[in-house]
Every structure is written in C-alpha cells, then in structure tokens.
Amino acid sequence: TSGMQNRINAEIEKILKDLHAKTLEILKRHKPQLEALADALLEHKTIDGEQARKIFEASLAQHSPNAPSVEPA
C-alpha cells in the first residue's frame, strides 16, 4: 500500500541521513590523518597499505598522543 511504501521510504531516508552524519563525523575526526595521507600521495604519487598505515598512525599520535594505534586490516 501507499502508506507502507511511505513508511519504508521514511525509514530508508532516516538510515541514510544517520549514516551520512556518522561518515562526516569520522572524516572530521580524522581530518589531520587524511591530510597527511593526501600530502604523501601528492609527494610520492602512490603509497602502499603499510605506508598509509604508518602515515595515519604517525599523524594520529601527533594529534592525539593518548589515542590507540590502528589495527591493520
């Protein structure tokens, strides 16, 4: 029915808005690390996963000395 479709659409919209907000929060929280990765890519053109992890962790430690290290994937 139309009412059911409207409820489904509203719930999907709510989920997407929540996920969008969480994504922005994560990007803002890790902005220094993302900028460090971008700088490395501009300088070296390519980096591998291990280099990216080291850059991210070094920037994380620099901007938040009490932060836990990032576990490799």
Side-chain angles (χ1 to χ4, degrees):
T1 66
S2 176
M4 178 63 85
Q5 187 62 46
N6 288 339
R7 287 194 302 257
I8 292 170
N9 287 341
E11 185 62 24
I12 290 171
E13 186 173 344
K14 179 186 177 299
I15 291 168
L16 291 174
K17 283 182 179 181
D18 289 348
L19 291 173
H20 182 257
K22 287 178 185 178
T23 301
L24 289 177
E25 189 273 324
I26 290 168
L27 290 171
K28 287 176 185 175
R29 185 173 16 143
H30 292 293
K31 185 175 181 181
Q33 292 76 40
L34 296 171
E35 288 176 344
L37 289 169
D39 290 343
L41 286 167
L42 288 171
E43 182 178 345
H44 302 288
K45 304 297 182 218
T46 61
I47 57 175
D48 64 25
E50 182 63 19
Q51 291 168 316
R53 186 184 62 76
K54 287 178 180 178
I55 292 165
F56 189 93
E57 286 184 342
S59 180
L60 187 63
Q62 179 181 6
H63 291 91
S64 180
N66 297 326
S69 67
V70 176
E71 292 296 319

